[in-house]
Amino acid sequence: MIFKCKNCGGNTIYDPDKGTMCCPHCDGLDSEEKVTGTETMKSCLSCGAPLDEVIGEHTSATRCPNCGSYIILDERVQGAYTPKLIIPFKVSKNKAIDLLHKEFGRRVFTPSSFLSRASVSKIEGTYVPFFMYDYNTDSDYHGTGTKVRTWRSGQYEYTETSYFDIHRELEADFDKVPVDASDYMDDQCMDLMEPYDYAALEGFMEKYMSGYLGEKYNRDEEELASRAVKKLTDAIESMIGDSISGYATVSKKSLNVDAKKKLAQFALLPVWEYVFSYGGEDYRFFVNGQTGKVVGRTPVAKGKVFAYGATVFGVIFWIMSMIRLLLAAFV
Ligand SMILES: [Zn+2]
Ligand SMILES: [Zn+2]
């Protein structure tokens, strides 16, 4: 499908600054109509150019290489691939470019071509597929803590180490633990993109995709559930760790997490992606399309992923509707 302007026939796109559909050709607002192709999309609905070069295995929205129109592939946003939730773009293309300038404009490692107009204008907004998992968890932790007492008597110094059994039980419900469902997107980068403000999740509407690229999920929620469990287990371990204090040392003996999946919802989250080619290699930079957080691998420190800039949400894990920590039986 394509969204066209009723006034001038141009391709209307979702404008993050205005928060509505906009025609870049005549500045018409909310003047769009949805035009649907008759069969599986192989050519542009605006100019007829072939699209096979820009449609990959998982592509759900793309840009015509000939006329620049944004096309959404019906069969990849419908049926089993219908997204349940979406966070529409909040950061515009110009704002994303500004943020890259702010982070890298004055850095020594930055090659001069990195932020050149020609290069940086190739930045594209992409809706990355995610699954959002809801889990009920019951956890049981056992550890050993030590307390050390030293004193001096005469010419001797005495040290007494006492050992304590530490036991914690934690019941917690996790809502919307995000796991990216794209093979192309680097998991580490996507994890660093977080947090999004999940309160801004909306019911999916196709028009939010107009003006952006997109992918359907590459793997299903069953395949990706183990990554959600890993994330919430890490969160549980850190919560339990925070509840233990007053010991010289603490060592974990066991942590059993019984995680029951309640729900998995397919969602699209907004990311600006800038691919910078330098010295025969591609370096990928991402700007969170909602919060503006910048993540990327620099040409200098190869392989290492950096997150730049603070997010406005601080360190929120996910929305947890219920937490019950039992300080059970510790001696
Ligand atoms: Zn128009
Ligand atoms: Zn076209």
Side-chain angles (χ1 to χ4, degrees), residues 2 43-49 51 63-69 71:
I2 185 171
S43 53
C44 174
L45 283 169
S46 200
C47 74
L51 293 177
R63 188 169 187 264
C64 170
N66 183 49
C67 72
S69 294
I71 313 281

Side-chain angles (χ1 to χ4, degrees), residues 178 180 186-194 227 231:
D180 87 81
D186 186 314
D187 292 348
Q188 215 186 336
C189 283
M190 286 308 104
D191 287 348
L192 280 172
M193 283 265 89
E194 291 170 29
R227 276 184 56 211
K231 281 175 121 175

Side-chain angles (χ1 to χ4, degrees), residues 297-312:
R297 291 175 202 273
T298 67
V300 171
K302 251 189 218 170
K304 195 159 166 33
V305 190
F306 289 98
Y308 304 94
T311 73
V312 286

